[in-house]
Structure formats: structure tokens, C-alpha cells
Amino acid sequence: MTTSRTLQPEDRLAHYRIVGPLGAGGMGEVYLAQDQTLERNVALKVLPQELVRSEERVRRFVQEAKSASSLNHPNIITIYEIGQDQVHPASGEASTGSVQYISMELVSGRTLGAKFHEEKTDLRTLLGFLAQAAEGIAKAHAAGIVHRDLKPGNIMVSDDGFAKVLDFGLAKLTEQRSGEASATAMTEVGDRTAEGAVLGTVHYMSPEQVQGKSVDHRSDVFSFGCILYEAATRRRPFIAESNVETMHKILHEKPQPIEEINAAVPAEVRRLVRRCLHKTPDQRLQSMKDLAIELREIVDEYDALSASATSATTGSGSVAAIPARRGRVSPLVVVALIIAAAGIGYGVWSARRGGESVEQPFQNMRATTQTSRGDVVSGALSADGRYLAYIAGAAGRSTLRVRQVATGSDVEVLPVQDASLESPSFSPDGNYLFYLKRSRERASYRSLMRVPSLGGTEEERGFDVDSRVTFSPDGRRVCFMRGVPQEKRSALIVRDLEAGTEREFANIHAPETIGGAPSWSPDGKRIAVFTIQAPPKSLSTLVMFDAETGAREDFLTRRNAFFSDVAWIPDGHGLVAVGTVVDEGIRSQVFIVTYPGGKMRRVTNDFDVYIGATVAGGDLAIASLRLSEIANLYNADPVIGTVQRLTSATSAERSPFHFDVLRDQVVFATIHDRHLGLAVIPKEGGEFRYLNQGPGHATTVIAREGVIVFERLDADGQVHTWRMNVDGTGLRQVTMGGGEGLLDVSQDGKRVLFTRSDSTQGVWSAPIDGGDAVLLSPRANQGTFVRDGENVVVAELTEDESGFFQTVIKVVTATDGTELASFRDLGNAGSYQQGPDESLSYQNLSNPQRNVFVVSGGGGASRQVTKFTDGRLTGHLWSPDLRRLAVIRHDGVGENLWVVDANGNNAKQITSFDGEDISIFKWTPDGNHLIVRAGTQIRDMVMMTNFD
């Protein structure tokens, strides 16, 4: 039987010439057509004439175009145009009428359905395609769009291995809750399909679709779970003789266990499918982005996965720590990252050459997400902009990968390894990748490593390197920053890669320090770097050093600014800078500085945080790491295992920041009245109230019974420690120096512990009610009170007999710094604190699980406390009575809170966060609960182009 088609070869529709049919479905016919205006082939989808009379079909047809065209993602079909026009037959006959059409990207390839059942593609490859598709769907969900008709036939795999999600014909824009309208939302209310209308392909429907209920993004998660099941078993999960029976199974039955059909499917895949196919939306995996991340991890580690067990079903585990993440962050940087949410206006950039203001952002600049993993650490563009190298991973496990920008192809250069990799950079010829790797033997040092760009054996090319390297134009030398903390200076080093020799050609002395990585000018004459002076000066200076003599020229200076990386634009007429301008109210953003004019233009201007930058020539391209985080506070009961959410942030700017716990309340920093202020909320939940902490921005907060102590960035650009009563009265300044960083407050609330950022660096102690401050340790920058409040534990950097520096832990008196005890030779240890029976507890960073150990004050061998055999610990904290130990364990997906007895027995998981990270956790004073700050942090590389 011949099928009647709307269009025939050589027909004309608008400016399209029909070549031939590609397919047809319930929502339209698809043709291969030539766009004669742009001279390219497209897929042209039209609505059959007999269906034009259906207003509902026309509406849904138009909705597909609007939904898909609003998205810009490599894993979503690109929509070129939507229109309506007369058909002009090739025969020359009169027009056959007007039709609706969508012009879209032509993808040459096969559907996932064909990959499943015709090509018999292996499961690992299929999971890679599905991970790409999940990234595209996550993009749609982030824009408020639910697909509602996911199935293998709606995911196309191009001939070059790129997955594309098709057919948003059933998509609807999710409605926003009352009062949550966003200025950046695509639309306030979209397609409001009435409850009772059943749309979608029955075998992949969610239970709520079958029942005709309104749906959200979790319906797509269920449908995607059905596709995953089919990929693993080559069968649909719900099969019956009729659609009605199929829908009954979706509502009331579980699919046949995957292991009964294909026993070789890894347990991690089976677990993921089960989490997607829960009947109740609240019990499913809640984010398509998390699903994409898990799929990528499974693909990366596929050969090592077992078909019999998963990390989620084992009885114990742990997680590798990234100690810096839980370390103290500069209060100025914290404030700069968040006060943008308060809407503070823009300030003026005062350059040495003319005092030009910062110009408005590039209006036509285009930013595209390149990695879409969420766990990227850092990245770099090749000189020609064709390749992006990036390091990804969590909990101290890293992989180095290279992505071809034009095609999206992604290859593994270094497999996932138990090491911290950082700061990649391409050699000028693109043949090699250089990167930093933490030394196993000496964790305080990084080695400079090199590996061929397409993979191979890594080799060490330098030692004690503290920043990304920049290359001389001929590629023979590199320049980098090296910190020399024992001499309170930082240096720029030039290393000859062939001879292996180094020379120190520039030094920066405290209170000034080098902000980040340097950059060698294209003509080889200058090396640019930002220097930072902490309070009381609080300024950043863009410095040009002569590459041969080291002569210094201060090119640009800005107060209340903190810039880190800088990169020359290849034509030498400007530089890209990344950093924060506090009084402009922006987070760490990307800027372009003209050279030699000194005019600065802001490239980005949003609520995300940008870290580092590399630049490619030709048509200028900038790559930077973009970070976004949403977090909330939770109250966890370690006895009965319940978890209660205390705050309800749904955006980065509304997230709580640092916090501490009183007997019945939690004190935390949050945005209020255009400032970062303090608020208190009942420990058991309820309404919170703001405290008046005076002008300025409050950051680190420590609460003791009856008193709240906090840091405040004041109008003079300095950070001081302040105190107030719990009821908000009695505001009073505690420290009066040149800028202080609050470390701790004694349990009795009588003394404070802090650092200074001027020339008198070290750990200091002072009475909270006023009095002289005492320098306890000039070589330390971290410290905490012992529970009796009379002594302090400090970490000092000390040179050993070999000339290397190691951390020595000391116990000193809080009033004059007299040394009472010293702990040496602890190896690769971190996260120090007081343990039971006058012991010191720490995490052994050489242990694969980062387990907790204790060593007695009198010396002797260390004793292992926690006994996790998988995962990694990223933090530990003793209860007030020292009888229980709370730890954070990373299981490869996210982090959760566990509690063990003081001897390490009776390990119990307390929280069940799904793909979230825990940044801070604290016991309540009575030891009955733990307050946790947990959230989702997304870190991906973004590339910016189109700077005309």
C-alpha cells in the first residue's frame, strides 16, 4: 500500500527544496530538505494537512519548536526555524495548501532503538550514549522543560558517536511556584496540560503519566530508567498484550530483575535502574544531572565494576578527603563570592593609566558549557582552540581527559587514579599536556608532570611547583609560582625544560603575595602576574616583569579587589583576568584588560563563580571553570537516624554559608538587606530571625553559650572580629589589628584565636572582653582550642633535615604560647584535632580510605580508629563527650554522615543525601544532634567566544 505524503521530492516549502522522506510519526512527517538560502541540508518536520484542523496538534507542534529552540546544548537537536507557508509542488500545479513546519539540524546516524536491537551495541558504549542524552535532558530540566516522551526512538546517535535528544512535541514548561518567578526564567507559565490527559508512548510512561496527573522532571527520570533497563536487557521493562495491561503493570508491578535476564550487567547499573523506576516520584533519583554523572562514572570504571556488589550495598566505607575544601577560606574571598546576590551596585576600576571605569559586559558574547560533568577541577584550551584538556574527579581521585571542541569527542588521557591532579596546560605545539600532581611522600609539594596529549606514559619534569605553568613562545621554558612560606615570600621561577635548570627571577614579600598563575607575553618580553595585598591595604596589582631581568612594572591597581589568574590574549593587545571586585558586588568573574591602554571590560556578570582562565588565538576564545552551588542546613539525629531540613534555599544566593550551633539555635550567615548578615533558627526548625551585626558583611561565625563571635568585612576594607550577645545586643569589636581571620573561640567564651594578614603573621590569642593579643606561633596559620580552653593545638610548617618542609603539630598554652607537647613524623596526615584521652586525632592521607588515627600525647605508635574499607573520608569530628566520632564518607556519588563509637565500632550511616556534598558539620553542645550544611556543587568548563 502506498502511503500518502504531504510533500514530494522537488516540492518547495518557503526557502526549502524537498529531497525525500526521512520518516513519520504521530506528530508529523520528516523530510530531508535543502535550505537554499544558507545552502545546507536540514531535517524538515511538517504537520500533515489532515491534522491541521486539530488545534491541539498544532499547539503541541508549535510547542515542540519553542521548547527545543530555547535550548542550546550539544546533546539536544538544534532548531533552526519554525514557520508556516504554502506548498509549491514540483509539478507546477497550484499550491496544495499551507502547512506548519520546523527546520532542524540534520543528524546522520541511528536511533538508540536501532543500537539496542539491530546493531547489538555493547552495554558500555550504550551507557556512554545515554550519559550524553541525560546531559541534554538535564539542560532542558534546568530551563523548566519536561520532555514527557522519552524513548529509544527519540534519542539519535550520530555517525561520529554524539547522542541527540529529539522530539519535544510533548514538552511542557513547568509552572513556577507562587512568588518564585525569576527574571531569567524563559516563561512564567507554559503548556498547562490538564490533569486527565494521557500523553506519551505507553511503554515508557511514568505512573503519574498513566494516571493522567500533572508531571515534573521526575517523570522523565522514570522514562529514562525504562530506556536504561532496555539497554541492559534488550527488553522493555513493562510488556503486555495491550496498552491497558501495560499501564496496569507500570502502576502495580516491578519489572523482571535485570540479573535474571543478563547476569553480566554491573550491579551499579542495576542499582541506578532501580532508583529511576520507583513508582513514587519522591523516591526516585531526583536529578537528571546526577544520573548523567553516575553514568559517566560507570563508563569510566566499567572494567573494574562487579556484577555482584555495589558500593551502595556494602556494610562500610569511606571517602578521600580534599582537606582544603573544609579549610578556612579567606573572609574577603567569601564575601566577594556572595554579596552579588544582595544587588550591590557596580563600582569604578581605577587603573594607573587613566582611571577608566569597568565597561559593561560584552553584549554578544556566547558561553557554551563544554564538559557537563559537574566534577571538573580545572581545564585549559590548546593554543588553536580545537582541544580542551580538563581534570575531573572528587575525593582525591582524578582523571585527565581531552575534549575535541568542534565534535564533542572526549578521550581519556590518564585513567582515574588515586592522586590529586591540578592545573593542566598544553605545550605551545599541542603535543604534550603539563599538569601538577601532589607528591605521595610529601603532600605539601606538587610535581610538574608531562604526558602526550593523546595519552601515554606520564613523566616528572619539575618539583615544588605551586601554579599552572606558562610557556615561553618557543616552548623551551616554563614559568610558575613557588611559595616560600618560611620566608614569608612567593617567587616566580623560570625553568628550562631541556636542561632541567631553574632560576628565581622575581620575589614578592609579605604582606604582598602572588595571587595565582603567571602568563608569558606572546612576544616573550614580559611575564604578567597579579599580586595581592591583604588587609589593611586590600588591593590587587597587575604586575609586568621583564622576562630576562625581572624588572618590575606595576601596570594596574585596584583596592578591595582579589584577582588570581591572568592570561595574555595571543595578539598581545590584552589580557584575561579572573577575580573579585568586592565593592562592585560581583562574584569571581572574568574580565578583559586592554594592553597597553589599561581599560578593563567585564566579560561575565552572573551568580556563578569563575576560576582560572586560558585563552586560544584566531577568533578569541576563553575557557574557565564555572562553579555553582546550592546548599541547606539539616539537623541529623545520630541515634534514630532521622534528618530534618532547617532551611529551604533553592538558589546559590539564598544558600546559608558558615554556621555554628548554640544549645537551642543555629546561627548562620546569609544574605539580608543587601549584605551578608547573621540569622538564627531554632535547632528543631521553624522561622528564622535576623540579627543586627552592624554595617559590613559577616562571614565566619562561632557561637558559644551567651555570645556570638564573627568576622566582619568593614567599610575600610579590613576584616575584624566582633562579638554580640545571643539576643543581638552588646555589639563590640574584639580585635584591632591590620585585618584578622577568626579561627576559634574557647568553650567558655573567654578567649578568641585568630590569624593576622599583615606582616605580623601567625596564630594569635586575645581575651574576648579586651586586652593585649599574644602571638602563640609565628609559623602557624591554623589552630583550635583544646576543650579546656587553656591550651591550643597549632600546625606549624617546619624544615626537616633534608631541607623539605613538614607539618608539626604542637600543643601550646593559650595565654603565652608555651609549648606543652609536639607531634612529629605523622607522615601524610591532615585534619588534626583533639582526640580522647589527651590524644591527637588525624586522617591518614596515605590510607586509601583516609581513615582516622590517634596518637597519644606522650608519643608512640598511632592507632587506627575508623575501619572503613571502601569509599573515602573527607572530614571527622569528635562529639563533646569524646565517646562518638562523626565522619563524612564519600561513596563515589556524593557524601553522607556516619557515626562510629570511639573505638571505631558500630559504624552507622545517618544521612541519605543523593549526590550532595557536605561542607560543614558540627555537633550540638549536648552531643545529641549534628547540624550539617549540604548541597550540590556543579563544576564544569565553559568556553566564551564572540567578543565583537
Side-chain angles (χ1 to χ4, degrees):
M1 181 178 69
T2 301
T3 302
S4 175
R5 296 187 181 275
T6 304
L7 302 176
Q8 302 298 325
E10 301 302 322
D11 283 355
R12 296 283 199 278
L13 178 61
H15 52 93
Y16 299 99
R17 179 179 65 84
I18 306 305
V19 178
L22 291 176
M27 281 303 299
E29 301 171 357
V30 184
Y31 296 87
L32 172 62
Q34 184 183 52
D35 182 338
Q36 294 187 306
T37 301
L38 298 178
E39 297 184 351
R40 64 181 175 187
N41 289 334
V42 301
L44 199 69
K45 188 169 187 176
V46 303
L47 196 62
Q49 292 181 1
E50 61 269 22
L51 299 180
V52 172
R53 291 185 297 273
S54 170
E55 293 183 2
E56 173 65 12
R57 284 184 180 267
V58 172
R59 185 189 63 78
R60 284 162 51 196
F61 182 85
V62 173
Q63 181 64 59
E64 173 182 348
K66 289 182 177 179
S67 299
S69 65
S70 68
L71 304 173
N72 179 19
H73 194 277
N75 299 119
I76 297 177
I77 196 75
T78 300
I79 300 297
Y80 299 137
E81 181 186 12
I82 176 175
Q84 182 175 358
D85 204 354
Q86 298 287 324
V87 177
H88 301 282
S91 61
E93 299 176 1
S95 173
T96 58
S98 178
V99 298
Q100 296 269 359
Y101 67 86
I102 301 175
S103 171
M104 65 186 78
E105 174 186 4
L106 179 65
V107 180
S108 177
R110 304 292 302 278
T111 67
L112 269 186
K115 296 285 184 182
F116 289 174
H117 304 294
E118 298 174 21
E119 298 184 5
K120 309 295 183 183
T121 306
D122 66 278
L123 180 56
R124 182 178 189 172
T125 301
L126 292 176
L127 294 176
F129 296 148
L130 286 165
Q132 294 182 44
E135 294 285 3
I137 300 164
K139 172 71 173 182
H141 289 173
I145 297 174
V146 182
H147 191 287
R148 298 198 299 169
D149 192 24
L150 292 175
K151 56 187 177 183
N154 276 342
I155 300 175
M156 180 76 76
V157 179
S158 65
D159 291 336
D160 59 358
F162 216 58
K164 299 272 188 178
V165 182
L166 316 175
D167 197 353
F168 280 78
L170 298 177
K172 84 180 186 73
L173 298 179
T174 55
E175 299 177 25
Q176 295 198 18
R177 298 174 185 171
S178 174
E180 291 185 358
S182 169
T184 60
M186 292 174 11
T187 183
E188 187 173 86
V189 178
D191 174 15
R192 300 187 182 183
T193 302
E195 292 193 17
V198 179
L199 299 175
T201 305
V202 66
H203 294 93
Y204 306 92
M205 283 183 177
S206 66
E208 53 268 35
Q209 279 182 294
V210 168
Q211 294 173 308
K213 297 180 178 179
S214 60
V215 301
D216 60 19
H217 66 280
R218 295 171 296 182
S219 177
D220 282 351
V221 172
F222 186 94
S223 300
F224 202 89
C226 293
I227 299 172
L228 274 175
Y229 183 99
E230 190 170 344
T233 64
R234 315 298 160 140
R235 301 181 191 177
R236 293 170 175 169
F238 305 102
I239 305 174
E241 294 182 359
S242 69
N243 284 348
V244 172
E245 291 175 301
T246 299
M247 289 190 284
H248 182 273
K249 286 192 171 186
I250 290 172
L251 287 174
H252 303 291
E253 297 182 16
K254 292 182 178 181
Q256 183 180 358
I258 291 176
E259 56 269 29
E260 295 181 7
I261 304 172
N262 184 358
V265 175
E268 293 284 356
V269 177
R270 303 198 306 266
R271 177 182 63 86
L272 205 56
V273 172
R274 289 195 299 269
R275 295 183 66 192
C276 292
L277 293 183
H278 276 290
K279 306 295 185 187
T280 304
D282 287 343
Q283 298 301 313
R284 289 177 207 148
L285 194 67
Q286 296 292 294
S287 163
M288 190 65 74
K289 179 66 178 181
D290 289 343
L291 180 56
I293 292 172
E294 291 210 34
L295 284 170
R296 287 195 181 277
E297 288 184 350
I298 290 172
V299 172
D300 289 343
E301 303 178 9
Y302 194 87
D303 292 336
L305 295 179
S306 166
S308 60
T310 77
S311 61
T313 58
T314 53
S316 62
S318 62
V319 173
I322 306 178
R325 193 186 65 196
R326 283 189 177 76
R328 184 182 178 279
V329 180
S330 165
L332 288 175
V333 175
V334 173
V335 171
L337 295 180
I338 59 184
I339 59 176
I344 298 173
Y346 298 125
V348 175
W349 180 274
S350 57
R352 180 176 64 83
R353 309 189 181 196
E356 298 91 337
S357 63
V358 177
E359 295 189 2
Q360 292 301 309
F362 292 85
Q363 299 300 311
N364 298 317
M365 187 270 293
R366 180 186 179 191
T368 56
T369 303
Q370 292 294 315
T371 53
S372 299
R373 288 177 54 111
D375 64 345
V376 177
V377 176
S378 57
L381 278 174
S382 59
D384 57 11
R386 296 175 58 194
Y387 298 95
L388 174 73
Y390 65 93
I391 293 168
R397 305 191 73 226
S398 307
T399 178
L400 175 62
R401 306 182 68 88
V402 170
R403 174 185 173 89
Q404 189 175 18
V405 174
T407 67
S409 300
D410 196 289
V411 298
E412 182 181 78
V413 177
L414 291 176
V416 176
Q417 54 182 276
D418 187 10
S420 177
L421 309 180
E422 307 169 32
S423 306
S425 55
F426 281 94
S427 59
D429 59 13
N431 292 332
Y432 290 95
L433 277 167
F434 286 73
Y435 56 96
L436 306 186
K437 187 174 184 177
R438 289 276 182 179
S439 170
R440 285 182 176 274
E441 294 76 19
R442 302 183 184 279
S444 298
Y445 293 86
R446 302 173 183 88
S447 294
L448 177 64
M449 308 298 293
R450 186 182 78 169
V451 67
S453 298
L454 297 180
T457 302
E458 59 178 347
E459 58 178 342
E460 184 173 329
R461 299 306 303 270
F463 184 73
D464 194 9
V465 180
D466 291 329
S467 75
R468 186 198 308 272
V469 298
T470 181
F471 289 86
S472 61
D474 60 10
R476 296 179 179 178
R477 294 171 294 168
V478 294
C479 178
F480 55 88
M481 185 269 284
R482 175 177 292 160
V484 192
Q486 73 278 13
E487 299 177 10
K488 298 182 180 180
R489 65 181 176 92
S490 49
L492 289 181
I493 308 295
V494 170
R495 181 177 179 85
D496 188 307
L497 293 173
E498 297 302 322
T501 57
E502 294 182 354
R503 67 184 179 95
E504 187 177 283
F505 83 103
N507 275 288
I508 304 296
H509 294 269
E512 189 179 20
T513 185
I514 294 176
S519 181
W520 214 310
S521 64
D523 61 10
K525 296 180 179 179
R526 303 169 186 83
I527 295 176
V529 70
F530 269 107
T531 66
I532 296 175
Q533 290 194 56
K537 290 191 175 181
S538 301
L539 54 82
S540 285
T541 301
L542 179 55
V543 179
M544 301 290 181
F545 287 102
D546 186 287
E548 297 302 325
T549 67
R552 171 174 175 163
E553 176 193 7
D554 290 357
F555 176 68
L556 198 69
T557 297
R558 177 62 163 93
R559 281 196 170 276
N560 288 348
F562 298 89
F563 280 84
S564 53
D565 283 353
V566 63
W568 280 94
I569 294 173
D571 63 9
H573 292 155
L575 305 96
V576 175
V578 181
T580 300
V581 181
V582 176
D583 54 8
E584 292 188 3
I586 61 174
R587 296 170 179 244
S588 179
Q589 300 287 299
V590 180
F591 299 79
I592 286 180
V593 182
T594 62
Y595 185 83
K599 180 182 292 184
M600 176 164 280
R601 301 181 68 189
R602 186 184 300 106
V603 175
T604 58
N605 185 26
D606 52 43
F607 287 123
D608 293 324
V609 175
Y610 293 85
I611 303 170
T614 59
V615 183
D619 293 332
L620 177 62
I622 301 171
S624 183
L625 179 69
R626 184 171 61 190
L627 180 152
S628 180
E629 181 185 36
I630 299 174
N632 278 290
L633 298 179
Y634 299 83
N635 184 335
D637 188 319
V639 177
I640 61 178
T642 58
V643 179
Q644 177 188 7
R645 189 165 72 172
L646 301 179
T647 59
S648 300
T650 57
S651 61
E653 61 269 27
R654 296 302 178 191
S655 297
F657 296 92
H658 202 274
F659 75 88
D660 206 354
V661 188
L662 291 163
R663 180 184 302 172
D664 300 314
Q665 300 177 96
V666 179
V667 186
F668 62 97
T670 186
I671 296 295
H672 174 57
D673 192 24
R674 296 165 55 88
H675 286 74
L676 181 62
L678 298 178
V680 293
I681 190 171
K683 186 181 64 177
E684 304 303 329
E687 296 295 325
F688 60 83
R689 62 183 175 88
Y690 293 105
L691 300 174
N692 180 15
Q693 85 284 350
H697 304 279
T699 55
T700 302
V701 56
I702 298 178
R704 297 290 182 254
E705 198 60 38
V707 64
I708 297 172
V709 184
F710 59 96
E711 288 177 342
R712 197 179 77 185
L713 173 61
D714 293 329
D716 60 0
Q718 297 192 39
V719 175
H720 294 298
T721 299
W722 292 72
R723 58 159 295 178
M724 67 167 65
N725 300 325
V726 175
D727 61 5
T729 64
L731 181 64
R732 178 178 175 181
Q733 186 172 338
V734 176
T735 60
M736 307 290 180
E740 294 83 35
L742 178 62
L743 294 177
D744 200 5
V745 179
S746 61
Q747 290 297 319
D748 59 12
K750 293 182 178 180
R751 296 191 72 86
V752 295
L753 200 65
F754 59 92
T755 61
R756 279 182 172 163
S757 52
D758 56 16
S759 58
T760 55
Q761 297 177 15
V763 173
W764 294 70
S765 170
I768 198 170
D769 291 325
D772 293 336
V774 178
L775 177 61
L776 303 183
S777 173
R779 293 184 176 181
N781 61 8
Q782 291 291 326
T784 182
F785 278 102
V786 175
R787 282 174 177 77
D788 60 14
E790 297 179 358
N791 302 316
V792 174
V793 177
V794 296
E796 289 189 353
L797 198 62
T798 303
E799 189 173 5
D800 63 18
E801 296 178 355
S802 302
F804 292 103
F805 288 86
Q806 62 173 338
T807 300
V808 176
I809 307 302
K810 294 182 178 180
V811 179
V812 300
T813 59
T815 53
D816 60 10
T818 300
E819 182 177 327
L820 301 177
S822 177
F823 299 86
R824 297 175 179 268
D825 302 321
L826 296 180
N828 193 5
S831 300
Y832 309 95
Q833 62 184 269
Q834 180 188 5
D837 302 322
E838 304 300 324
S839 68
L840 177 77
S841 72
Y842 63 93
Q843 287 179 238
N844 186 344
L845 303 184
S846 297
N847 178 271
Q849 287 74 43
R850 308 296 200 255
N851 275 302
V852 177
F853 288 71
V854 296
V855 60
S856 67
S862 297
R863 174 177 61 86
Q864 183 172 342
V865 179
T866 58
K867 305 175 180 65
F868 294 103
T869 58
D870 63 356
R872 286 191 171 180
L873 301 187
T874 61
H876 76 287
L877 186 66
W878 292 94
S879 62
D881 61 7
L882 300 176
R883 294 182 178 180
R884 289 178 294 176
L885 177 65
V887 298
I888 305 303
R889 175 179 174 266
H890 194 292
D891 62 3
V893 176
E895 295 181 336
N896 277 291
L897 179 69
W898 290 65
V899 172
V900 301
D901 294 340
N903 58 11
N905 295 332
N906 299 320
K908 179 181 179 181
Q909 183 175 341
I910 308 303
T911 63
S912 298
F913 296 130
D914 186 5
E916 297 189 38
D917 292 330
I918 298 175
S919 53
I920 309 173
F921 62 115
K922 296 191 177 185
W923 288 93
T924 56
D926 59 12
N928 293 331
H929 293 81
L930 284 143
I931 307 299
V932 177
R933 180 185 184 271
T936 302
Q937 187 181 88
I938 305 299
R939 307 187 311 272
D940 277 305
M941 293 300 299
V942 62
M943 189 165 78
M944 289 158 270
T945 55
N946 194 18
F947 295 99
D948 296 334

